[in-house]
Amino acid sequence: MARLKRSLLVMFTAVLVCVGVSMGAGAGAAAPAQQLPKWSGLGDDFGTFGDHANCHGAMHVGLTATPHKRGYVRVTLTSFGFTGEGASWRKDPHCRFLVGHGMNSSRGYAWFAFWPASFGPKRGQRLVHDVHVGSGLALFGVGTYQLHNPVRVPLAYGLNYYVIVP
């Protein structure tokens, strides 16, 4: 119980420091490419599946402040390389899926945004997307979902972060 209280106190102090800094005199837009203060119990990498040929792979999630846009998070997905099976994969070596962002923040509760993504076998491919989260403390999640389906079927558990957005 003492550890939980200490953790909550540290998180609350970080929020106050962030809000105090962002509301200071001369505060403008977010600093360019600044790493956001974040906490995740699962790390920054996760694996997923795709739309054909049993394609699968893993990616790294990076969260930075979007330059000159207050309340936005720049999400960068970096591929570790995707692979598949058979003639279908050799014909079309791209693993496609839907990336979903869920958040609880000053912008709203249980708010979701989705965008399509595609990775091939090459390591280091990047996809970048800016998401309007709102300033302050936010619970921000990144996961993958099946493409071209009216029901959002998850393909991977994904990651959740507590993040402080300028």
Side-chain angles (χ1 to χ4, degrees), residues 74-160:
R74 178 162 286 167
V75 180
T76 304
L77 302 178
T78 306
S79 170
F80 289 118
F82 279 69
T83 189
E85 297 176 359
S88 177
W89 180 255
R90 285 189 294 276
K91 182 179 176 184
D92 181 16
H94 291 90
C95 199
R96 290 174 289 275
F97 46 86
L98 200 61
V99 175
H101 306 291
M103 62 200 84
N104 296 330
S105 65
S106 62
R107 183 166 182 223
Y109 174 75
W111 187 83
F112 291 89
F114 298 94
W115 51 287
S118 174
F119 284 120
K122 186 177 176 185
R123 290 180 63 111
Q125 293 176 321
R126 290 178 186 251
L127 295 174
V128 179
H129 193 75
D130 293 341
V131 181
H132 185 212
V133 177
S135 294
L137 181 65
L139 175 59
F140 186 80
V142 179
T144 57
Y145 299 86
Q146 192 173 9
L147 196 60
H148 306 301
N149 194 335
V151 177
R152 296 291 180 226
V153 178
L155 296 174
Y157 181 70
L159 300 171
N160 288 306

Side-chain angles (χ1 to χ4, degrees), residues 32-47:
Q34 129 191 7
Q35 283 290 337
L36 294 176
K38 64 183 178 184
W39 180 82
S40 173
L42 300 173
D44 293 326
D45 305 329
F46 75 100

